[in-house]
Amino acid sequence: MRITFGAFVLDGDSRQLTRAGREIHLTPKAFEVLVALAEARPNVLSKVELQQRLWPETFVAEANLSNLVAEVREALEDVARSPMFIRTAHGFGYAFCGVAADVKRGLRSETAGPACWLEWGGHRFPLALGENVIGRDADLEVRLEGTTVSRRHARLMVTALGTVLEDIGSKNGTFRGEDRVTGPVPLMDGDVIHIGSLRTTFRVRGRAASTETLGTAARRSRTARQPVGRRSRE
């Protein structure tokens, strides 16, 4: 099993959870919890089912399972009261509630090359699979020159199934259209992205632009209108 959800990729065969190509550590039991819930999605797994899978023919306190679920949520930066990925079915068990899609083996080689890019004025920045950081620093994948652009401003995380935009603590903010980016935001071809006061456009080539998994949320709030009079705070 290999699935992508949000900015994460979960690979059951290699026993890896990654975000933008970087591995996120989980203890073996916590990893098993995540795999079990992802495989059963969107169905709820009872606490009894999970305990039998994790500790077959062994009695353990229920708190052990709760601690593992808490570890998974911490790794995914998920919040129990407003979950994006792991939902609690009170008094019964847990379920994977995030939007996820299976990734076929070999898809990475099929999408080799600049399948997507960022345009700024007359510049075109090809985006590679994994993390592409935007900012003023000279060694970044997408270097933009402007007083409203932070040294490390935002990042585009490209997977075989789509691209997600995140702000990384910039001073003047990152916007998709008129919406300020406060968490991971999926992108579609033609989305306008403001890096501080600079206007850029996200582009996707060919059939990659038809991705539905990450595009559904983006379609609801996509806008091509440029904000007027955005002021720098630097």
Side-chain angles (χ1 to χ4, degrees):
M1 178 199 71
R2 189 166 187 254
I3 66 169
T4 181
F5 56 96
F8 301 93
V9 175
L10 174 65
D11 194 324
D13 295 333
S14 66
R15 295 188 62 83
Q16 285 184 308
L17 173 67
T18 59
R19 177 173 181 168
R22 297 178 181 177
E23 186 171 3
I24 297 174
H25 175 73
L26 282 174
T27 60
K29 293 293 186 184
F31 188 87
E32 283 296 326
V33 169
L34 180 55
V35 168
L37 295 176
E39 288 177 339
R41 69 184 193 280
N43 297 330
V44 178
L45 290 183
S46 70
K47 294 178 182 179
V48 173
E49 289 177 286
L50 288 168
Q51 287 173 335
Q52 289 177 346
R53 174 165 176 162
L54 296 168
W55 302 282
E57 301 181 359
T58 303
F59 174 80
V60 295
E62 187 175 307
N64 290 342
L65 177 59
S66 299
N67 290 338
L68 292 177
V69 171
E71 180 184 342
V72 171
R73 283 177 169 148
E74 182 178 359
L76 300 180
E77 298 181 357
D78 206 7
V79 180
R81 291 185 178 181
S82 55
M84 292 188 298
F85 304 117
I86 307 298
R87 175 175 66 87
T88 299
H90 295 286
F92 184 76
Y94 303 94
F96 187 95
C97 61
V99 176
D102 295 316
V103 179
K104 294 181 180 179
R105 299 291 176 180
L107 187 57
R108 179 177 294 265
S109 61
E110 294 173 9
T111 58
C116 57
W117 60 92
L118 196 68
E119 294 179 351
W120 172 51
H123 300 276
R124 175 182 289 192
F125 299 93
L127 303 174
L129 287 170
E131 183 180 65
N132 298 265
V133 178
I134 305 170
R136 294 200 321 264
D137 278 355
D139 61 342
L140 298 183
E141 292 81 4
V142 181
R143 186 187 181 191
L144 302 179
E145 298 178 1
T147 58
T148 62
V149 179
S150 298
R151 295 173 62 86
R152 295 175 63 86
H153 195 108
R155 61 185 168 196
L156 293 164
M157 288 175 288
V158 181
T159 72
L161 292 181
T163 301
V164 173
L165 170 68
E166 284 188 280
D167 185 86
I168 49 177
S170 70
K171 187 174 182 179
N172 290 305
T174 302
F175 298 78
R176 185 187 61 183
E178 293 182 341
D179 299 325
R180 184 159 191 157
V181 174
T182 58
V185 175
L187 297 178
M188 289 187 66
D189 181 48
D191 276 341
V192 172
I193 301 170
H194 289 87
I195 306 297
S197 64
L198 299 187
R199 185 181 191 270
T200 68
T201 305
F202 175 73
R203 292 295 184 186
V204 181
R205 171 176 56 81
R207 63 185 178 86
S210 65
T211 298
E212 296 180 359
T213 303
L214 295 178
T216 300
R219 190 178 299 112
R220 289 196 294 265
S221 58
R222 176 180 170 183
T223 175
R225 291 176 296 172
Q226 180 177 2
V228 178
R230 191 179 307 287
R231 296 181 178 178
S232 168
R233 294 193 298 274
E234 284 192 340

